[in-house]
Amino acid sequence: MKRILYLSLLVASVVSCRKSPDTSELKVNFAVATSKDATANFGNYKTYHISDTISLRTTNPQDTVWSDADAKRLIDAVKAEMADRGYTLVQRGSRPDIGIAFTAIKNLNLGVIYPGWWWGYWGCYWYYCGYPPYYPYYGVVYSIPTGTLVLDMIDLKNAQVNNKLTVIWGSVMSGGLGYTNDDIELGIDAINQSFEQSPYIQTN
């Protein structure tokens, strides 16, 4: 009986002296999921365009555009990655090969199935209005929580020939936006991670 008592006291003393872990460095990072059209040859594209604003989806129907300095930092991160992969940014009137749609989802939870839904464009992308959106059948199911960034890479080069807008690559970066004071830095990290895990995005 005394042996059991001594053992219990020893365990209690060890546990009581154990240092609590420092949680101050913990962050709410984004979970990054990417998918691609298996038939796409990214080397066939040379130019791209991305808007200077981010499409915004919230519970408020009046929230449609995110255009402040934070949005610009996120867009600049995409531009930097595309430049590193050899793509040239052009104005949308110059008929870019690729269009990049950038969407932020805040205070809104969505369930999305690829293929089948494109973030609000519904077959209209600049001068390509009327073409149906098309996701190649690489079928991925996403549950989109509040605080998500979405990148869609659309084939504009072949849109007139195919009479459809093919989304050749997509990235869903979930879970960070709106939770910490480091949101933008976390968002930039998530964008970089999206491209890091997509090494096939490279022009010839």
Side-chain angles (χ1 to χ4, degrees):
M1 184 66 179
K2 288 183 178 181
R3 182 177 297 176
I4 295 174
L5 178 60
Y6 292 151
L7 181 59
S8 299
L9 290 173
L10 177 61
V11 171
S13 65
V14 171
V15 172
S16 65
C17 294
R18 185 176 180 182
K19 185 178 179 180
S20 298
D22 182 8
T23 60
S24 62
E25 296 300 319
L26 295 179
K27 293 182 179 179
V28 182
N29 291 308
F30 287 77
V32 179
T34 56
S35 54
K36 66 181 285 287
D37 176 3
T39 66
N41 183 348
F42 290 84
N44 289 338
Y45 308 98
K46 308 299 179 185
T47 61
Y48 80 98
H49 180 79
I50 185 171
S51 174
D52 289 330
T53 62
I54 297 174
S55 178
L56 185 61
R57 298 289 181 267
T58 73
T59 53
N60 184 351
Q62 302 302 316
D63 291 335
T64 58
V65 176
W66 184 12
S67 59
D68 62 11
D70 287 341
K72 184 178 185 302
R73 289 181 62 196
L74 294 171
I75 295 167
D76 285 345
V78 177
K79 291 179 179 179
E81 288 288 350
M82 291 295 286
D84 286 345
R85 304 301 178 96
Y87 297 96
T88 301
L89 175 67
V90 298
Q91 296 300 313
R92 67 182 186 180
S94 299
R95 300 277 174 167
D97 295 338
I98 293 172
I100 298 181
F102 200 170
T103 304
I105 301 170
K106 301 175 70 174
N107 305 318
L108 184 64
N109 288 284
L110 297 173
V112 179
I113 301 176
Y114 278 178
W117 195 62
W118 183 15
W119 309 93
Y121 290 95
W122 291 100
C124 182
Y125 195 82
W126 299 325
Y127 39 80
Y128 292 111
C129 289
Y131 293 175
Y134 172 74
Y135 276 93
Y137 285 89
Y138 44 83
V140 180
V141 179
Y142 291 111
S143 175
I144 309 297
T146 185
T148 294
L149 297 173
V150 180
L151 283 174
D152 277 329
M153 190 176 288
I154 302 104
D155 179 0
L156 301 180
K157 182 177 182 179
N158 301 301
Q160 289 181 316
V161 174
N162 298 331
N163 290 326
K164 63 186 177 185
L165 293 168
T166 303
V167 179
I168 56 175
W169 178 81
S171 175
V172 178
M173 297 158 277
S174 303
L177 195 65
Y179 290 103
T180 77
N181 293 327
D182 301 317
D183 288 350
I184 303 307
E185 291 299 329
L186 293 174
I188 292 172
D189 289 344
I191 291 167
N192 295 338
Q193 178 61 34
S194 296
F195 282 87
E196 182 176 342
Q197 64 193 47
S198 306
Y200 44 80
I201 299 178
Q202 183 75 49
T203 190
N204 292 332

